[in-house]
Amino acid sequence: MATIPSDSPDSSSHFLRLVWQRWKQRRQRNITRRLAQVHFRLTREGLHFVGVLLFIFFGAVIRDINLLILLAGAMLGLLLLQWRFNTRTLIGLRASRRLSQSIVVGRSTLVSIRVVNPKRWLGAWLVLVEDTLYREKPVAQRIAVKAATIVDEVRPQGSGGGNYELTFRQRGKYRVGPSTLSTRFPIGLGRGWRTLNNAAHIIVHPSLGQLTPRIERLFHRELHGHSKASSNAGANETEFYGLRPWATGDSRRWIHWRTTARLGELSVRQFERQQHRQLNILLDLHGVPEDDEIEQSCEMAIAFVATLASSNVKRGGDRMAVAIAADQTFASVSVQSAVLVDNLLGELSVIAPCPQPELTKALKGIHLPLLKNPNLLVVSTRSNQLGPVAALRETDSVPDVPREVHLDEKVLERLKVRWLNVSAGDLEPYFAWTSQK
């Protein structure tokens, strides 16, 4: 006996997935087709021209003057020429831009625009390229000002270019584009425009300030033993450590002549020196993003961490670990190169304050550096009334918190916290900064 197949959940889900994919493809085709269309609109001069045209035409009809009818027909031909020329000129034009991936607040960046004309016979003249600007993170915001440049001529099967400069006053992730190509050539009675699908993104890093000499008081220099001795040990002579073979650049007065005579090769004395510091930074952004005072404190705290990381890499030597507790949690156990600093600045560019930052989860990301050096510098927008260690112990004992974000007990036992409340002005003796907003 034949059985009637029933609809299984897998077949129904497959059918829904297929319908969803077809709908997305159709929607994408409609968007692409709509963007590829060339729009046309009369300019202010064109509207005045149409008014004169209608006055002449109705006057010619009423008065039965044939010459005025011919004049009206010639004027109508100019309007048709303007419409046809605008629409045919912009069809097929492609625009690309050369844009930096990142920039610092307050600094200008040059954007190069290249317009390509694939048509064989018809060129393009006086093409205006406009890019809309939109701030996506940390707060969605449309920029009223548009970036624009004019390309004088784009020859058939050729290209033309133009430049414009961008200067951002706020950090964040920005979308540049899509580009709008428009022209009023040849007589300016109408404007044709076409929108392309060529949006790009740029990361605006926070502005940097200047560290004062008192910044050294926030950190403690410690010796970590001979296992981490650097290759150039002996540059600062303090205490005799041992002997090693001669290396290019060593001073002659370091030569140990008795060992050299016994071994038959040059041996020099090695001296112990102070090792590099391990800097542990926690950035705590607590508050509501809409509050102007909180926003100013957050920007100063972010600028301080960015400046500290940048100057540390330029100076070289110290190891730095950074944890961020804000609307998103981030941790980097080692910020010792330009690439790692760029990654950190990218994270600092898009973060925003949060009513409940996850301090424990952020510190979990740098627990290994905290085991090496228990000193922690907390840069926060709030005061710590319960004590940082007590607060962390209280958070660590909450049963709802996942076990993977609990701190190591060894870290909690040795943790020494220095808390700086930016809102109370605790950062001013160590950091000088001016807002670019």
Side-chain angles (χ1 to χ4, degrees), residues 9 18 74 77 79 108 142 151 194 197 210 238 253 259 266 274 278 299 305 307 326 370 379 410 415:
L18 183 61
L79 284 177
S108 300
R142 187 179 185 87
V151 181
R194 175 169 170 254
N197 188 16
Q210 185 176 3
T238 56
R253 55 193 179 91
T259 305
L266 289 176
Q274 290 181 330
Q278 173 65 55
E299 295 300 325
V305 176
T307 304
L370 288 175
V379 182
K410 295 181 180 179
L415 192 61

Side-chain angles (χ1 to χ4, degrees), residues 92-128:
L93 291 185
R94 300 190 303 268
S96 60
R97 72 176 65 85
R98 182 180 299 175
L99 179 67
S100 302
Q101 294 183 353
S102 61
I103 190 179
V104 179
V105 170
R107 297 183 183 178
S108 300
T109 180
L110 185 65
V111 181
S112 300
I113 300 294
R114 178 64 55 182
V115 180
V116 179
N117 183 11
K119 293 189 291 292
R120 179 175 296 183
W121 302 110
L122 183 61
W125 293 267
L126 299 180
V127 179
L128 176 64

Side-chain angles (χ1 to χ4, degrees), residues 40 73-87:
F40 179 81
M75 295 176 66
L76 181 61
L78 291 178
L79 284 177
L80 293 176
L81 174 65
Q82 179 73 48
W83 167 77
R84 185 63 175 174
F85 200 89
N86 286 162
T87 55

Side-chain angles (χ1 to χ4, degrees), residues 246-295:
W246 165 275
T248 303
D250 290 339
S251 176
R252 292 184 179 180
R253 55 193 179 91
W254 295 344
I255 299 177
H256 195 268
W257 295 107
R258 293 183 180 179
T259 305
T260 299
R262 186 174 68 255
L263 299 179
E265 60 180 5
L266 289 176
S267 299
V268 296
R269 290 170 291 185
Q270 183 176 0
F271 299 90
E272 187 181 38
R273 60 171 300 184
Q274 290 181 330
Q275 303 302 313
H276 301 313
R277 294 175 298 182
Q278 173 65 55
L279 310 182
N280 301 318
I281 312 296
L282 172 62
L283 178 61
D284 172 35
L285 299 184
H286 174 270
V288 182
E290 291 77 11
D291 192 339
D292 293 338
E293 295 183 0
I294 293 295
E295 181 182 0

Side-chain angles (χ1 to χ4, degrees), residues 42-54:
L42 292 176
T43 60
R44 181 181 303 176
E45 297 81 5
L47 293 175
H48 294 167
F49 188 84
V50 171
V52 175
L53 171 62
L54 293 177

